[in-house]
């Protein structure tokens, strides 16, 4: 049985769907109003973001757009991933994971309005899944389309966006060429790495060259959930995004740590979203299993929890207590503000962060200073 899901809870009836569309439209209008009121305080096109001494730079490190060119490409496909229209709604299909793609998810102006309304100066922009690895031999062409589309938006709004690239990792030679193109020609600032690559984990041997290149280039690697490997177990009650995506973060990050990759590449700049999934909360058990009971085939140089404290995590977890724990666990130098827009409104994450009443220096680090240094902005 197919389950029609979205990154927001789906409506249970036509009436509730209509109500939700109305609310989305109202929300977008409200954002535009807020943006107009705060426009004078925001950087204009062609301007430079505010100096750190005048106003703390705010950088959104995880923010996405579905790209019209990419959706058009998937409309022409005969096998997953495919896009089609049903009852006036755009649907993205990957197996029995069906997601609605409203126009809001493609709207650059809506994203800019959300940024302006919340005082976000720069957004690290990326596409959403599916990534190039889902397109088989067409993956290199798909990656070029994805990256060119993101680069085009960045070029149109050079003071507001920076780009993150995706790579066709099923084809090492093509992926290496695309990485060079994205860095040298398109000016991309990082790699968006999916937590699984069409069913393979990113720590597997065939992908390890990418971590070496990222370390060599000083390029941050940002993990991002893909079609969860646990979809079958969590799709009931539409828990795919709630649980499946967080399990993806947890499993993928745990495998990277346990694999010894961070010993081989100690200068790798790794970012995990959503406060590391659940791993920071259970890493004491991982420490005990690996370092005390020796249940690992790797001779890690440090405890898993120490590796976790050395990577970056973004704070997309709308719960102040979770953010507070992350600050205690990782310290303020390893946390990044992100929104996961358009699925999460930036104001929600900002309000939760500011409710902690952190010292101004700590808040500034999380909001932008750490990202400014990490991405060399």
């Amino acid at each position: 049985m197919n389950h029609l899901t979205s990154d927001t809870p789906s409506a249970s009836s036509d009436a509730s769907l209509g109500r939700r569309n109305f609310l989305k439209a109202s929300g977008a209008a409200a954002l535009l109003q807020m943006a107009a009121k705060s426009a004078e305080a925001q950087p204009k096109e062609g301007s430079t973001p505010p100096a750190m001494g005048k106003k703390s730079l705010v950088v959104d490190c995880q923010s996405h757009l579905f790209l019209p060119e990419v959706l058009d490409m998937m409309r022409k496909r005969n096998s997953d991933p495919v896009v089609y229209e049903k009852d006036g709604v755009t649907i993205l299909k990957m197996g029995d994971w069906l997601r609605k793609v409203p126009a809001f998810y493609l709207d650059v102006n809506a994203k800019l309005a959300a940024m302006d309304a919340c005082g976000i100066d720069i957004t690290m922009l990326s596409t959403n899944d599916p990534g190039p690895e889902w397109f088989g031999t067409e993956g290199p062409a798909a990656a070029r389309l994805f990256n060119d589309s993101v680069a085009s938006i960045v070029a149109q709004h050079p003071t507001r966006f920076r780009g993150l690239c995706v790579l066709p990792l099923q084809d090492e030679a093509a992926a290496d060429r695309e990485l060079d193109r994205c860095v040298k020609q398109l000016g991309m600032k990082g790699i968006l790495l999916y937590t699984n690559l069409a069913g393979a984990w990113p720590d597997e041997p065939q992908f390890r060259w990418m971590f070496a290149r990222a370390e060599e280039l000083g390029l941050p690697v940002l993990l991002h959930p893909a079609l969860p490997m646990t979809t079958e177990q969590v799709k009931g009650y539409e828990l795919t995004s709630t649980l499946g995506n967080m399990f993806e973060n947890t499993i993928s990050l745990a495998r990277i740590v346990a694999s010894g990759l961070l010993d081989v590449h100690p200068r790798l700049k790794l970012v995990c979203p959503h406060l590391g999934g659940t791993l920071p909360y259970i890493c004491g058990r991982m420490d005990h299993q690996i370092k005390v009971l020796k249940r690992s085939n790797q001779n890690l140089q440090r405890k898993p929890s120490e590796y976790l404290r050395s990577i970056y995590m973004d704070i997309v977890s709308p719960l102040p207590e979770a953010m507070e724990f992350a600050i205690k666990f990782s310290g303020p130098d390893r946390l990044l503000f992100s929104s996961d827009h358009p699925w999460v409104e930036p104001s929600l994450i900002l309000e939760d962060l500011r409710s902690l009443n952190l010292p101004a220096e700590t808040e500034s680090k999380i909001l932008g200073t750490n990202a400014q240094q990490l991405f060399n902005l």
Side-chain angles (χ1 to χ4, degrees):
M1 178 179 177
N2 287 356
H3 295 264
L4 183 60
T5 62
S6 163
D7 286 295
T8 53
S10 63
S12 59
S13 67
D14 290 341
S16 60
L17 179 60
R19 181 175 66 251
R20 217 172 61 173
N21 287 339
F22 172 77
L23 290 172
K24 279 186 179 177
S26 301
L31 281 175
L32 289 168
Q33 270 191 324
M34 293 170 68
K37 291 179 182 178
S38 63
E40 291 185 4
Q42 303 307 317
K44 304 298 186 293
E45 294 301 326
S47 69
T48 301
M52 292 298 296
K54 182 178 180 182
K55 169 187 173 292
S56 294
L57 191 71
V58 179
V59 181
D60 188 342
C61 297
Q62 186 198 157
S63 187
H64 313 285
L65 280 173
F66 277 105
L67 305 164
E69 306 92 327
V70 174
L71 294 183
D72 287 343
M73 178 265 288
M74 287 191 282
R75 284 187 178 95
K76 300 172 184 175
R77 289 175 56 83
N78 297 318
S79 60
D80 291 346
V82 296
V83 165
Y84 62 92
E85 316 301 317
K86 183 177 180 180
D87 300 328
V89 177
T90 301
I91 305 294
L92 169 59
K93 176 181 179 292
M94 297 178 72
D96 64 355
W97 193 28
L98 308 181
R99 285 175 289 168
K100 301 170 185 174
V101 185
F104 177 66
Y105 290 5
L106 292 78
D107 193 335
V108 177
N109 289 327
K111 187 172 292 292
L112 287 166
M115 290 169 62
D116 290 346
C118 295
I120 296 169
D121 300 301
I122 298 173
T123 283
M124 310 304 297
L125 187 65
S126 58
T127 184
N128 195 51
D129 68 295
E133 62 279 357
W134 288 98
F135 295 86
T137 58
E138 299 173 8
R144 288 192 296 272
L145 178 62
F146 293 173
N147 294 324
D148 285 344
S149 298
V150 169
S152 175
I153 295 169
V154 173
Q156 292 171 49
H157 306 278
T159 66
R160 308 307 303 278
F161 295 122
R162 304 291 187 274
L164 303 175
C165 68
V166 292
L167 303 174
L169 289 167
Q170 70 271 42
D171 183 334
E172 179 177 338
D176 199 28
R177 289 193 299 270
E178 182 65 7
L179 177 58
D180 281 339
R181 188 181 79 93
C182 286
V183 173
K184 297 174 183 178
Q185 297 181 28
L186 302 183
M188 297 289 197
K189 289 292 188 177
I191 300 169
L192 189 75
L193 175 65
Y194 293 103
T195 48
N196 81 75
L197 301 160
W201 297 107
D203 62 276
E204 293 183 27
Q206 65 268 33
F207 306 124
R208 294 196 177 189
W209 67 270
M210 186 275 301
F211 295 99
R213 286 298 321 277
E215 183 182 45
E216 171 194 335
L217 294 167
L219 207 61
V221 175
L222 291 83
L223 286 175
H224 189 275
L227 172 64
M229 302 273 258
T230 58
T231 297
E232 192 62 31
Q233 289 75 32
V234 298
K235 66 184 181 183
Y237 304 106
E238 296 194 4
L239 293 174
T240 303
S241 293
T242 300
L243 295 181
N245 286 356
M246 298 306 100
F247 293 160
E248 280 285 303
N249 294 332
T250 303
I251 296 169
S252 190
L253 182 57
R255 287 182 59 103
I256 288 172
V257 169
S259 72
L261 266 170
L262 299 180
D263 287 335
V264 177
H265 304 294
R267 294 179 291 110
L268 180 69
K269 299 175 180 179
L270 183 64
V271 182
C272 188
H274 311 120
L275 295 177
T278 66
L279 196 56
Y281 311 100
I282 61 174
C283 66
R285 181 173 178 83
M286 192 173 180
D287 284 351
H288 187 262
Q289 292 283 314
I290 289 178
K291 300 302 286 185
V292 178
L293 300 182
K294 306 299 182 184
R295 290 178 176 168
S296 173
N297 56 1
Q298 303 293 330
N299 185 22
L300 298 182
Q301 296 174 12
R302 295 183 283 166
K303 295 191 296 185
S305 58
E306 293 177 18
Y307 296 101
L308 287 182
R309 289 186 171 99
S310 72
I311 71 166
Y312 291 84
M313 296 190 295
D314 81 27
I315 64 169
V316 180
S317 182
L319 183 69
E321 293 86 350
M323 296 179 188
E324 190 169 34
F325 172 75
I327 293 168
K328 291 179 181 178
F329 179 83
S330 295
D333 294 337
R334 284 292 184 268
L335 297 180
L336 305 168
F337 165 68
S338 295
S339 69
D340 207 6
H341 186 265
W343 298 279
V344 182
E345 287 299 333
S347 58
L348 179 61
I349 306 300
L350 286 169
E351 288 167 7
D352 284 346
L353 177 66
R354 287 170 172 152
S355 74
L356 299 177
N357 295 313
L358 299 171
E361 182 181 5
T362 297
E363 185 174 288
S364 292
K365 285 181 177 181
I366 296 170
L367 287 177
T369 307
N370 293 339
Q372 187 178 31
Q373 296 170 353
L374 177 66
F375 294 103
N376 192 27
L377 300 178

